[in-house]
Amino acid sequence: MAAEREAGRLLCTSSSRRCCPPPPPPPLLLLLLLLLLGHPASGAAAAKSSSPSQSAGASVRTFTPFYFLVEPVDTLSVRGASVILNCSAYSEPSPNIEWKKDGTFLNLVSDDRRQLLPDGSLFISNVVHSKHNKPDEGFYQCVATVDNLGTIVSRTAKLTVAGLPRFTSQPEPSSVYVGNSASLNCEVNADLVPFVRWEQNRQPLLLDDRIVKLPSGTLVISNATEGDGGLYRCIVESGGPPKFSDEAELKVLQGPEETVDLVFLMRPSSMMRVTGQSAVFPCVVSGLPAPVIRWMKNDDVLDTESSERLVLLAGGSLEISDVTEDDAGTYFCIADNGNKTVEAQAELTVQVPPGFLKQPANIYAHESMDIVFECEVTGKPTPTVKWVKNGDVVIPSDYFKIVKEHNLQVLGLVKSDEGFYQCIAENDVGNAQAGAQLIILEHAPATTGPLPSAPRDVVASLVSTRFIKLTWRTPASDPHGDNLTYSVFYTKEGVARERVENTSQPGEMQVTIQNLMPATVYIFKVMAQNKHGSGESSAPLRVETQPEVQLPGPAPNIRAYATSPTSITVTWETPLSGNGEIQNYKLYYMEKGTDKEQDIDVSSLSYTINGLKKYTEYSFRVVAYNKHGPGVSTQDVAVRTLSDVPSAAPQNLSLEVRNSKSIVIHWQPPSSTTQNGQITGYKIRYRKASRKSDVTETLVTGTQLSQLIEGLDRGTEYNFRVAALTVNGTGPATDWLSAETFESDLDETRVPEVPSSLHVRPLVTSIVVSWTPPENQNIVVRGYAIGYGIGSPHAQTIKVDYKQRYYTIENLDPSSHYVITLKAFNNVGEGIPLYESAVTRPHTDTSEVDLFVINAPYTPVPDPTPMMPPVGVQASILSHDTIRITWADNSLPKHQKITDSRYYTVRWKTNIPANTKYKNANATTLSYLVTGLKPNTLYEFSVMVTKGRRSSTWSMTAHGATFELVPTSPPKDVTVVSKEGKPRTIIVNWQPPSEANGKITGYIIYYSTDVNAEIHDWVIEPVVGNRLTHQIQELTLDTPYYFKIQARNSKGMGPMSEAVQFRTPKADSSDKMPNDQALGSAGKGSRLPDLGSDYKPPMSGSNSPHGSPTSPLDSNMLLVIIVSVGVITIVVVVVIAVFCTRRTTSHQKKKRAACKSVNGSHKYKGNCKDVKPPDLWIHHERLELKPIDKSPDPNPVMTDTPIPRNSQDITPVDNSMDSNIHQRRNSYRGHESEDSMSTLAGRRGMRPKMMMPFDSQPPQQSVRNTPSTDTMPASSSQTCCTDHQDPEGATSSSYLASSQEEDSGQSLPTAHVRPSHPLKSFAVPAIPPPGPPIYDPALPSTPLLSQQALNHHIHSVKTASIGTLGRSRPPMPVVVPSAPEVQETTRMLEDSESSYEPDELTKEMAHLEGLMKDLNAITTA
């Protein structure tokens, strides 16, 4: 039957070029198959094959059964013993059995110790084994041979002879408590363990369930009794005299009352076993109470009671019988006595001997055919395969090839290839063999009928290096040849083996022969076949394949090794193949994990590549080039650059103050690209902030990313820094980070405060509650109490741990209104509750799972149990660029410990600008340190959790604003322009810094005429608030100035801008007036030119714009007005003098008392003769508004106003005195004022600030007096001072009215107190225009008066102290009449009751005469 099956292998399909063995045909078709063998076939093999004497009824040769019944197995023996290695083979006729030892046949005829038994087994008597002579130990193989049929070999068996007994450990005296376990060691050679036995008190020890001997020879006694005491020894009996160990006494003690710690007497150790063997993990633990032993494999608990293969031996050891591959894994021995638990683990590795997935099958074939024996093997480790033909190893060659890993291919069969082929698989734990028979059939004789003649004109139409294409014409006997098939027989010249290639279909007259060798001569013959058989062969055609272009082969022995952290050297040798000189090499290399390969041209056999990344793996290959081009590439070799110290500091350093004496420091490793090696640990250095030289150092080994620093001082600031370590050393450290320990530990003398937030998320039958702890972290929180119920929170109460931040209330009713309360508690009691309500969802609510996509086509439905988003997200601001984000995960256990592979994604962004994108980072803990933020910026944060393919939605957002930082950039776009009409006044404009890093609280303007001067020599001009413009007055004309600006916020000053140069304009005709009067010719302190183009000047004003030349008409009118005012002034003075002479001495005393200086800067001798008459502010350059001690308004607007300190500044107009005036003039700059006017001259040294309060609401009547220590009540008799203030008040009223009109369009009206025309003090008060004036959009300057409605008949009254020569005046009420007339001024003078002494009047008159001379000089000019 086997012959019938194998005969089917001779069938060839018409579409196949080679005869390929089909599946075995049914037995009923055997006759048809035999007939086909005698008919022409489509393959050359069929054409050449024949059945022996088929016409005479001869049968096809059949396969002969030939196999081993028994094969030898590995055997252990002892010296002097006898050994039988079994072997038995089946065949008809019976085979001849021989034996090989270590690959060499044994001569058993003359061997008196080794003999062949009748069944073929090998018997060895009296095994010989010594230290230097081991003739019997080795590998044995049984060889069976049948003449004229073939030979087969068995598997290889190893004979091991146990050596002389040697004890590696012996029993030692020990003691054991009653009921506990004990172990006694006895370790000998591994091959002698089966020969070990134990004795107690020199008597053989009987083993049972309580006393066992482990495979190592160790004796274990469990549940010890008093009878177990005694002397123990182990004996090795290995054929010779027994070998005894030392005796050791085992004492059995009564158990003590106290407990005894658990101690491992024997721990399990990792082992390797072969399938089918037994494995024993020893585990013996002593202790009181006696422990209970249980075992786990990986994460599963082993049930030793119900398993047949798992047995718990005495003492707790685990025995696994008949080991399989599934038993491999990690085993844990866990001992527990109720007081303590200890565990130990060991690994079991299982190996598998070779086995066959597919065995070779018997094959029929004809000569010249190609066949393949298939063989698929399995085993662990993976077996190696070799082939044996008739007992001899097959050596791969051009005709015997190993294909598809383990299959044997035989090309161009010849008769001598017949025989038995065996596939032998072998690995470390065994070997196996399987064989098959090959029968070469004779060609069947041709049937009666004409055979085709030889094909004509056979030519090689295409000759290449490794293939040849043959073509031909039909035989002359059959010109059409439509039904002919062809076979091409070819052989290498000088080689006997012939191969065949068949055409693919009838009538085809070409074939391509593949897999030839270059530059080799082949002989070809073509034979045609018809239905009667094969015809004549064509004449041999000799063809030589083309020589192959000799490109270089792969460079041998390529090696790469790292020479430094940034360089690798690659070496290789000259390629073995290739004709032609090697011109150069190309070295290719690529970083692992990337797809960008780089190359370098090299002319030598080695090259060192520099500039590589540290501790990074690279792959290298080499290609040799000759004149024909690139050769074959070498295999890739991989090598990693050497490690180095880290090149960056650890990341995300943060400090957490635990209590008054400890701080926890957290960090993240440096980025993977900067680690430069395996991080072996971290170095922590810390110190007190007050003692920077005293540094303490702590080492953290491994991958630990946090450390608790204890033993610190209370309430002390410490600095910390961390550096990463590799085997090469320490990398750079982080910046110092500070934290201060608590002054005292957390308080538990009072209940906790209310939790800072409470959130509820209702579901159908549950509510998820999440919260954040109280804001006051200084009070101990032991836990949280959650109360809930329908309509009332007192129905149920649940308490949770203080670390918990969420809780799910289960088993609730759908569509119900629940009230929930949350209270923090400690040992003192419960704190204030926080309430929240929620309505559970109805049963029909499908929105409970937020992640479901409803009715979305082609959208996969997510996991029905999506991840819950993190809760309690909090942002803790640590610095100007760092915020720590913390959260809780409601899908973790209560202790919030992460034990799986989940990770969290933190995202953050700022809303300025609005289109800012989110930034993301991943974290594996419940916190993350976000760094690199912008100062003084509000960020929003949210967190999501991902586990596998499941992710949560984003959590609720938390917000945090980083701290401010000093500005890191200067103000920009600084420009300086001259104010129109005022060449000595400039305007400075700028823009805020691009990196303000906080709210700008002010600016400082530095200016100087020397750009190289030290910065402390520059004049400083402060600007309060966030204004972006400022004006500076009274600069020197035609002079270059340099300006710098510096911004400030709450954290300090930013950098200065670059110096900007500006040259003031040159002087014009109006500028040449003394005391710069051209800058203020519109009147004393008024700014008529700034009122706008539509403003109509008052009756006294025909003034030209500041700094512009006046017309002749305006100049004449001005002279007339000046002369008129001068005459009127003289008359008024004479009248005042007459009244003053009539005053009594008592009036003089009152006058002196009232005229004392308010600020005490002038001293008086007790008389008024030092008091000088009023100078009417001629040549005043500034008004000085004295501070008022009390103000009717509780919230006055305080303003600094620069004013001259005395009337010494008011001197006759005289060029010679101009310098004196500037020398003695004091000026102020408003340090915290909205005023922006200043002068360069006189700005050094200390300058007092003049603060003037103003009412926020206008009074409804004129106020003639203001509370002051130096003013008299209005009802008392008036002093000379008050009497003589009236004319001044009139003048001031004109000034104030002008100021009000000018600045009433601003929120804070301002007035410039500027030098005026010498006679402007006598100007008639201005009449306010009937309608609202149009104002000049002047720059803000010193606020003087609150804005008042212009239609009020009675205006706000402000007090001003106006300095005079040699004395100070008390605050003066300033009245601004609606439309003052000259008659009103006269009437006010007539009401005055003041008088002067005669000598004082004489001085005043002399002073007036001097003034008149000045006036004459002016008019004459």
Side-chain angles (χ1 to χ4, degrees), residues 732-786:
T734 61
D735 293 334
W736 290 101
L737 189 62
S738 300
E740 185 174 349
T741 54
F742 297 143
E743 285 289 350
S744 59
D745 292 325
L746 296 183
D747 180 18
E748 202 170 7
T749 61
R750 48 185 173 145
V751 298
E753 294 183 359
V754 62
S756 55
S757 69
L758 172 63
H759 304 282
V760 295
R761 182 170 181 260
L763 303 178
V764 177
T765 59
S766 62
I767 295 177
V768 178
V769 183
S770 60
W771 62 88
T772 53
E775 292 183 359
N776 188 352
Q777 301 288 326
N778 296 324
I779 304 176
V780 175
V781 176
R782 300 288 180 184
Y784 296 91
I786 304 171

Side-chain angles (χ1 to χ4, degrees), residues 513-689:
I513 310 299
Q514 304 276 1
N515 300 321
L516 303 179
M517 297 295 294
T520 304
V521 176
Y522 288 88
I523 308 297
F524 296 92
K525 293 184 295 182
V526 183
M527 184 182 297
Q529 295 127 5
N530 60 14
K531 60 182 180 180
H532 300 293
S534 299
E536 297 180 11
S537 173
S538 65
L541 175 66
R542 185 176 182 275
V543 182
E544 183 177 4
T545 54
Q546 295 287 336
E548 193 169 43
V549 174
Q550 294 295 311
L551 294 173
N557 297 330
I558 178 173
R559 293 185 303 155
Y561 56 91
T563 55
S564 76
T566 58
S567 61
I568 292 177
T569 298
V570 186
T571 64
W572 59 91
E573 296 177 4
T574 304
L576 300 178
S577 60
N579 65 349
E581 183 180 355
I582 299 295
Q583 293 179 341
N584 70 310
Y585 300 90
K586 186 158 289 200
L587 173 61
Y588 295 87
Y589 67 97
M590 180 172 61
E591 181 183 344
K592 184 179 181 181
T594 65
D595 55 1
K596 183 180 180 181
E597 191 174 45
Q598 304 180 60
D599 59 84
I600 300 173
D601 290 328
V602 183
S603 58
S604 60
L605 297 177
S606 67
Y607 190 81
T608 299
I609 303 175
N610 298 307
L612 303 178
K613 295 181 180 179
K614 297 179 180 180
Y615 198 67
T616 303
E617 186 172 346
Y618 290 85
S619 63
F620 301 86
R621 64 186 182 92
V622 174
V623 175
Y625 280 70
N626 63 9
K627 62 183 179 181
H628 301 291
V632 181
S633 173
T634 63
Q635 295 292 326
D636 287 356
V637 293
V639 66
R640 186 185 295 273
T641 52
L642 298 180
S643 62
D644 198 1
V645 297
S647 55
Q651 306 177 93
N652 286 340
L653 178 65
S654 64
L655 303 176
E656 177 186 345
V657 181
R658 281 288 177 89
N659 51 47
S660 61
K661 293 190 176 183
S662 63
I663 294 177
V664 178
I665 181 169
H666 300 269
W667 65 88
Q668 293 294 322
S671 62
S672 57
T673 57
T674 60
Q675 291 183 9
N676 302 337
Q678 196 74 28
I679 298 296
T680 58
Y682 296 89
K683 182 183 293 184
I684 302 173
R685 304 183 70 193
Y686 62 96
R687 67 192 183 189
K688 291 182 180 179

Side-chain angles (χ1 to χ4, degrees), residues 1049-1359:
N1049 59 18
S1050 62
K1051 291 296 183 180
M1053 306 300 298
M1056 292 184 185
S1057 65
E1058 293 293 328
V1060 175
Q1061 182 182 5
F1062 178 79
R1063 177 180 287 274
T1064 52
K1066 295 182 179 180
D1068 53 22
S1069 60
S1070 61
D1071 292 331
K1072 296 177 182 179
M1073 296 177 64
N1075 290 337
D1076 303 322
Q1077 292 170 10
L1079 297 178
S1081 61
K1084 185 178 182 68
S1086 63
R1087 296 173 58 198
L1088 293 179
D1090 298 334
L1091 294 176
S1093 61
D1094 298 333
Y1095 175 74
K1096 295 180 180 181
M1099 42 196 291
S1100 64
S1102 58
N1103 307 308
S1104 63
H1106 295 224
S1108 62
T1110 58
S1111 65
L1113 179 60
D1114 291 341
S1115 300
N1116 294 334
M1117 291 184 67
L1118 177 61
L1119 293 176
V1120 172
I1121 291 172
I1122 291 174
V1123 173
S1124 301
V1125 171
V1127 173
I1128 294 172
T1129 302
I1130 295 172
V1131 173
V1132 172
V1133 170
V1134 171
V1135 174
I1136 292 173
V1138 172
F1139 279 105
C1140 287
T1141 56
R1142 297 177 182 177
R1143 299 295 291 174
T1144 63
T1145 305
S1146 60
H1147 287 164
Q1148 295 176 16
K1149 294 179 179 179
K1150 294 178 180 178
K1151 180 256 303 180
R1152 291 171 185 153
C1155 291
K1156 288 183 178 179
S1157 174
V1158 175
N1159 56 14
S1161 61
H1162 300 283
K1163 304 298 181 182
Y1164 294 89
K1165 303 295 183 178
N1167 55 60
C1168 249
K1169 85 184 196 177
D1170 295 333
V1171 178
K1172 297 183 180 181
D1175 57 0
L1176 304 181
W1177 301 288
I1178 296 175
H1179 285 289
H1180 269 240
E1181 291 193 344
R1182 285 179 177 75
L1183 285 174
E1184 182 178 40
L1185 302 183
K1186 299 291 183 178
I1188 299 177
D1189 295 338
K1190 297 181 181 178
S1191 172
D1193 189 337
N1195 297 307
V1197 178
M1198 304 303 293
T1199 308
D1200 293 358
T1201 306
I1203 297 172
R1205 296 286 297 167
N1206 54 61
S1207 58
Q1208 302 267 342
D1209 296 334
I1210 308 168
T1211 57
V1213 178
D1214 175 325
N1215 287 335
S1216 64
M1217 296 296 291
D1218 192 75
S1219 60
N1220 272 346
I1221 291 171
H1222 285 281
Q1223 289 172 5
R1224 297 194 293 183
R1225 176 187 305 138
N1226 288 328
S1227 63
Y1228 302 91
R1229 59 180 189 274
H1231 183 63
E1232 298 294 339
S1233 168
E1234 296 295 328
D1235 182 21
S1236 301
M1237 298 177 58
S1238 64
T1239 62
L1240 176 59
R1243 290 182 179 269
R1244 308 294 163 83
M1246 298 297 296
R1247 303 171 180 83
K1249 302 177 183 178
M1250 292 294 119
M1251 307 300 295
M1252 182 172 182
F1254 294 113
D1255 301 333
S1256 61
Q1257 298 295 332
Q1260 300 303 313
Q1261 60 184 3
S1262 297
V1263 180
R1264 298 293 296 170
N1265 67 317
T1266 305
S1268 176
T1269 58
D1270 291 48
T1271 55
M1272 300 294 290
S1275 60
S1276 64
S1277 52
Q1278 297 174 332
T1279 67
C1280 66
C1281 293
T1282 57
D1283 290 347
H1284 287 279
Q1285 282 173 351
D1286 287 343
E1288 300 169 358
T1291 306
S1292 296
S1293 298
S1294 172
Y1295 158 70
L1296 294 172
S1298 299
S1299 297
Q1300 286 180 337
E1301 293 171 19
E1302 174 186 337
D1303 297 323
S1304 62
Q1306 302 179 9
S1307 60
L1308 283 176
T1310 62
H1312 283 297
V1313 183
R1314 298 295 299 137
S1316 63
H1317 193 277
L1319 297 180
K1320 195 59 186 178
S1321 299
F1322 300 96
V1324 178
I1327 300 174
I1334 298 176
Y1335 306 105
D1336 177 20
L1339 295 175
S1341 54
T1342 310
L1344 184 61
L1345 298 174
S1346 300
Q1347 179 179 342
Q1348 309 297 335
L1350 294 177
N1351 57 359
H1352 283 190
H1353 293 287
I1354 300 174
H1355 293 269
S1356 174
V1357 177
K1358 305 300 174 183
T1359 60

Side-chain angles (χ1 to χ4, degrees), residues 41 68 226 245 364 406 408 462 504 644 758 765 799 817 825 828 845-846 856 901-902 948 1013 1038 1181 1299 1337 1412:
F68 285 103
E226 293 184 357
S245 71
Y364 282 111
H406 300 311
L408 176 65
L462 181 61
S504 58
D644 198 1
L758 172 63
T765 59
K799 291 190 175 183
H817 185 278
F825 66 86
V828 177
D845 191 347
T846 60
S901 59
R902 72 181 62 201
D1038 195 19
E1181 291 193 344
S1299 297
M1412 292 305 297

Side-chain angles (χ1 to χ4, degrees), residues 72-142:
V73 296
D74 295 345
T75 305
L76 173 65
S77 180
V78 295
R79 185 178 54 179
S82 297
V83 176
I84 294 179
L85 298 176
N86 294 313
C87 180
S88 177
Y90 173 79
S91 178
E92 292 294 340
S94 297
N96 178 38
I97 302 295
E98 295 179 287
W99 283 86
K100 282 183 178 181
K101 177 181 179 294
D102 298 332
T104 303
F105 282 103
L106 293 175
N107 184 7
L108 301 178
V109 177
S110 58
D111 196 329
D112 54 351
R113 286 194 310 107
R114 289 180 286 207
Q115 54 182 306
L116 190 65
L117 299 181
D119 64 348
S121 300
L122 177 64
F123 175 73
I124 304 175
S125 61
N126 192 18
V127 171
V128 176
H129 189 82
S130 64
K131 184 176 181 180
H132 302 289
N133 185 24
K134 303 176 182 178
D136 295 332
E137 193 173 61
F139 293 91
Y140 289 82
Q141 191 174 37
C142 177

